[in-house]
């Protein structure tokens, strides 16, 4: 009795053996009878196996011969479906381009009053969203900058403590850029923080 083999392993073994036997018979038929044979097989695991008569370029060549012999067009329906899908995509693309131009102030002549009001409301809401996003970006930038400033202050304080320098001593200061001569430097994230000894001015009074 011919029925489905339930055991998966036995089913795969049987498929492999009979497939090879079928391909062997097809090859013998194509050689003995000079026939064009094409076999396409897909297993239950979606693996494709194909036999094509030696000397035949592609499977499509066999299908073309089939169409010529039967007087049918296998690709007409698929081509028509693809053309319809292409037309839908082109319509969507044209609609999107028109919407973009309207948001830039063009192609407004054919819009009714209600459509113009709706477009205006959409753009107002869009501007609101953009402003909120911009404000959030600025807020994040301010927070990041404040953290960097606090970090610099902490580094400055640590350096003052390390060299036992009073915090309010006027002749010592934190420098962030410029030329550094006679400095004690500290490297932090590619920025050079340095303590610079500023020259003290001495006033000399001439005594008469």
């Amino acid at each position: 009795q011919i029925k489905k083999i339930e055991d998966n392993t036995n089913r795969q073994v049987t498929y492999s053996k009979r497939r090879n036997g079928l391909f062997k018979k097809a090859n013998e038929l194509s050689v003995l009878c000079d026939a064009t044979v094409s076999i396409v097989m897909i297993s239950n695991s979606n693996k494709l196996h194909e036999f094509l008569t030696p000397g035949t370029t592609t499977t499509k060549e066999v299908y073309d011969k089939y169409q010529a012999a039967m007087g049918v067009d296998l690709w007409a329906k698929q081509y028509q479906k693809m053309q319809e899908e292409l037309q839908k995509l082109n319509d969507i693309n044209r609609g999107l381009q028109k919407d973009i131009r309207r948001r830039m102030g063009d192609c407004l002549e054919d819009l009714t009053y209600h459509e113009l009001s709706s477009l205006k409301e959409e753009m107002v809401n869009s501007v609101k969203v953009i402003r909120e996003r911009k404000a959030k970006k600025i807020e994040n930038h301010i927070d990041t900058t404040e953290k960097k400033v606090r970090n610099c202050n902490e580094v400055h304080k640590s350096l003052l403590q390390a060299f036992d320098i009073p915090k309010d001593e006027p002749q010592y200061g934190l420098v962030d850029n410029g030329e550094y001569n006679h400095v004690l430097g500290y490297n932090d994230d590619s920025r050079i923080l340095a303590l610079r000894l500023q020259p003290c001015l001495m006033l000399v009074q001439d005594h008469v």
Side-chain angles (χ1 to χ4, degrees):
Q1 183 180 1
I2 301 298
K3 63 178 183 179
K4 179 182 177 181
I5 301 175
E6 298 298 334
D7 184 76
N8 183 62
T9 302
N10 292 338
R11 185 168 60 247
Q12 292 296 330
V13 171
T14 301
Y15 174 81
S16 179
K17 288 182 178 180
R18 297 211 174 196
R19 181 197 68 219
N20 294 335
L22 181 60
F23 285 177
K24 181 179 179 181
K25 292 294 183 181
N27 184 61
E28 292 174 356
L29 179 63
S30 64
V31 172
L32 294 174
C33 303
D34 193 24
T36 301
V37 182
S38 174
I39 301 176
V40 177
M41 301 176 63
I42 301 176
S43 67
N44 62 347
S45 58
N46 290 325
K47 289 184 178 181
L48 174 67
H49 301 91
E50 184 178 20
F51 171 83
L52 192 62
T53 297
T56 304
T57 307
T58 61
T59 304
K60 182 180 179 302
E61 183 179 338
V62 180
Y63 293 159
D64 291 339
K65 290 182 179 180
Y66 173 83
Q67 291 182 113
M70 298 296 296
V72 297
D73 189 349
L74 298 176
W75 318 110
K77 187 175 181 180
Q78 181 66 18
Y79 178 77
Q80 181 180 359
K81 184 178 179 181
M82 292 174 63
Q83 288 294 107
E84 292 174 354
E85 185 67 21
L86 178 61
Q87 182 64 35
K88 291 179 181 178
L89 293 175
N90 287 333
D91 292 341
I92 293 174
N93 184 49
R94 283 191 293 268
L96 292 174
Q97 290 180 352
K98 197 170 186 178
D99 287 341
I100 292 173
R101 289 195 296 269
R102 284 173 176 173
R103 282 162 173 75
M104 296 178 65
D106 297 330
C107 303
L108 302 177
E109 295 80 8
D110 57 341
L111 294 181
T112 64
Y113 173 80
H114 294 291
E115 289 174 337
L116 287 171
S117 299
S118 178
L119 178 61
K120 178 182 177 181
E121 184 178 354
E122 290 178 3
M123 296 186 69
V124 169
N125 292 334
S126 298
V127 171
K128 181 181 178 181
V129 173
I130 293 172
R131 285 176 176 171
E132 291 176 352
R133 184 61 179 172
K134 179 182 177 183
K136 185 64 176 178
K137 287 282 187 180
I138 294 175
E139 182 182 349
N140 292 338
H141 183 70
I142 291 174
D143 291 341
T144 302
T145 303
E146 289 177 347
K147 290 179 180 179
K148 290 182 179 179
V149 171
R150 288 194 297 268
N151 182 58
C152 290
N153 290 335
E154 290 296 327
V155 172
H156 183 209
K157 183 179 178 181
S158 299
L159 290 172
L160 291 177
Q161 293 176 352
F163 292 101
D164 195 21
I165 300 174
K167 184 177 181 181
D168 55 351
E169 191 71 23
Q171 64 267 31
Y172 297 96
L174 180 66
V175 293
D176 193 14
N177 51 26
E179 297 181 359
Y180 301 98
N181 296 321
H182 307 292
V183 299
L184 295 174
Y186 178 79
N187 190 355
D188 178 34
D189 294 335
S190 300
R191 297 178 69 251
I192 298 179
L193 301 176
L195 287 174
R196 179 174 60 191
L197 179 60
Q198 299 178 354
C200 296
L201 297 177
M202 299 181 61
L203 299 178
V204 179
Q205 295 183 348
D206 296 334
H207 295 280
V208 180

